[in-house]
Amino acid sequence: METFRQELLTQGVPQEIAEETAALLGDYLADVWGGTSVNFPRGFAASQAKADAEALALYDGSNLDQLAGQFGVSETCALGMVVRARARASTREAREDEEQTAH
């Protein structure tokens, strides 16, 4: 809970309150979730989709090296970003077409 306490202190919470709150949170989490494995996603999918869409918008067919540099990934990963964004766009368009056909 040290990380949580430090975050509270960073946010301007007085030290005594930060320590009490962190301890209470630690006890609560141990009581409720103790012995289980819990995965808390950090919004990776949403942030990845946003970056992928940005990469697709910037991609001109010949600038994978520039995209890789801009996003801090390899050229293969940059191409993967473009491919994922195209697939999402295609899926979205297919859904829209189905909805229009259904009405």
Side-chain angles (χ1 to χ4, degrees), residues 85-100:
R86 283 182 177 160
R88 282 187 195 97
S90 177
T91 301
R92 190 172 32 254
E93 289 171 5
R95 280 192 207 131
E96 291 171 357
D97 288 346
E98 286 177 10
E99 289 174 4
Q100 289 177 357

Side-chain angles (χ1 to χ4, degrees), residues 6 14 21 26 35-36 38 46 53 55 58 63 65 68 72-74 91 94-95 99:
Q6 287 293 339
T21 303
T36 61
V38 180
L58 297 171
N63 62 341
D65 58 335
V73 298
S74 68
T91 301
R95 280 192 207 131
E99 289 174 4

Side-chain angles (χ1 to χ4, degrees), residues 76-91:
T76 302
C77 288
L79 180 58
M81 295 170 73
V82 171
V83 169
R84 282 192 305 269
R86 283 182 177 160
R88 282 187 195 97
S90 177
T91 301

